[in-house]
Amino acid sequence: ETGVTQTPRHLVMGMTNKKSLKCEQHLGHNAMYWYKQSAKKPLELMFVYNFKEQTENNSVPSRFSPECPNSSHLFLHLHTLQPEDSALYLCASSQDVAGGRNEQFFGPGTRLTVL
Amino acid sequence: GDSVTQMEGPVTLSEEAFLTINCTYTATGYPSLFWYVQYPGEGLQLLLKATKADDKGSNKGFEATYRKETTSFHLEKGSVQVSDSAVYFCALSGVQGGSEKLVFGKGMKLTVNP
């Protein structure tokens, strides 16, 4: 595997389900990000991790719970989601946080549908 | 906070047409500027970037020049191909919500017909 991988690519879940999204980067980077991409809205940064420590949480509802066990893996745990949470969830990584000046490498995303 | 405004489209062009996608920004300080592209079913990938005023970024026939005086970073390509059909995002490294991060525009969907 190369670059940034995400699994699953598609996920359909009910509002009472619990599921997790997984992201893995094979680039030796130290910073990882979760973004939400909804139709007709700008890309929304959700969480930032730098050297496994969470450095940013952009007022994301607690039904989204990130986990970063090491610099290569990032998870997004989902529970009791709402239909408006349906979106494409993108993971990205960069060498370090560096104020966004480093290029971010994105995974293909997980298309989430909440019924 | 810092922000990016870009053409939203969607835009449909014929193959070999000239492409311009306008992007303007508002920022404190001196941000780096980026164009990312998202092909169907894929994540975003960096197309080109410029880190200071008057720098020109270029890649795959696309070009953009960092214009500080007009706070712009317009993307151009002289002759588009069907394979250029994608969503294009302008972005800057700036301050939003009190911390430095990548700030994206809303994206513009381009379709190129043969």
Side-chain angles (χ1 to χ4, degrees):
Chain A
E1 295 278 17
T2 59
V4 180
T5 58
Q6 291 186 243
T7 55
R9 293 293 307 274
H10 301 272
L11 178 62
V12 179
M13 59 187 289
M15 289 192 287
T16 58
N17 291 158
K18 289 184 180 182
K19 297 287 185 183
S20 296
L21 310 184
K22 179 183 176 183
C23 175
E24 184 173 1
Q25 58 95 359
H26 309 267
L27 300 167
H29 290 164
N30 297 308
M32 297 188 77
Y33 312 77
W34 278 118
Y35 287 88
K36 177 182 178 182
Q37 186 177 24
S38 305
K40 300 186 190 294
K41 293 177 68 175
L43 214 58
E44 299 173 58
L45 179 63
M46 300 174 71
F47 301 103
V48 181
Y49 278 81
N50 197 34
F51 292 92
K52 303 187 301 177
E53 298 298 319
Q54 187 180 122
T55 59
E56 186 133 359
N57 175 342
N58 276 331
S59 304
V60 180
S62 59
R63 57 186 184 269
F64 294 90
S65 174
E67 179 189 1
C68 188
N70 55 60
S71 293
S72 298
H73 294 85
L74 185 64
F75 295 89
L76 189 61
H77 304 298
L78 316 171
H79 64 98
T80 58
L81 294 191
Q82 304 298 311
E84 60 265 27
D85 297 322
S86 299
L88 182 68
Y89 288 86
L90 292 166
C91 174
S93 71
S94 65
Q95 185 58 45
D96 56 51
V97 177
R101 294 179 189 275
N102 284 324
E103 175 183 353
Q104 289 186 20
F105 292 78
F106 285 79
T110 295
R111 174 67 64 186
L112 174 67
T113 303
V114 181
L115 302 176
Chain B
D2 297 349
S3 65
V4 172
T5 303
Q6 64 171 111
M7 292 171 58
E8 291 182 30
V11 169
T12 301
L13 296 175
S14 298
E15 206 165 26
E16 299 183 5
F18 183 83
L19 170 70
T20 299
I21 305 176
N22 289 339
C23 172
T24 58
Y25 66 90
T26 302
T28 54
Y30 303 95
S32 293
L33 302 175
F34 307 85
W35 276 101
Y36 278 81
V37 59
Q38 185 177 30
Y39 298 104
E42 298 183 15
L44 280 69
Q45 54 186 275
L46 181 68
L47 181 59
L48 53 84
K49 68 179 181 182
T51 58
K52 62 183 188 297
D54 299 326
D55 268 3
K56 177 186 282 188
S58 61
N59 186 26
K60 299 183 181 180
F62 291 89
E63 292 184 340
T65 301
Y66 190 143
R67 301 286 188 200
K68 188 168 181 291
E69 63 277 13
T70 55
T71 61
S72 65
F73 193 55
H74 305 321
L75 182 69
E76 296 183 338
K77 186 174 186 181
S79 176
V80 294
Q81 306 300 312
V82 172
S83 56
D84 294 326
S85 298
V87 181
Y88 292 82
F89 295 87
C90 186
L92 63 81
S93 61
V95 176
Q96 200 173 65
S99 61
E100 243 186 306
K101 57 180 66 105
L102 268 185
V103 178
F104 288 89
K106 291 186 178 181
M108 194 211 79
K109 183 176 181 180
L110 170 68
T111 301
V112 180
N113 293 323

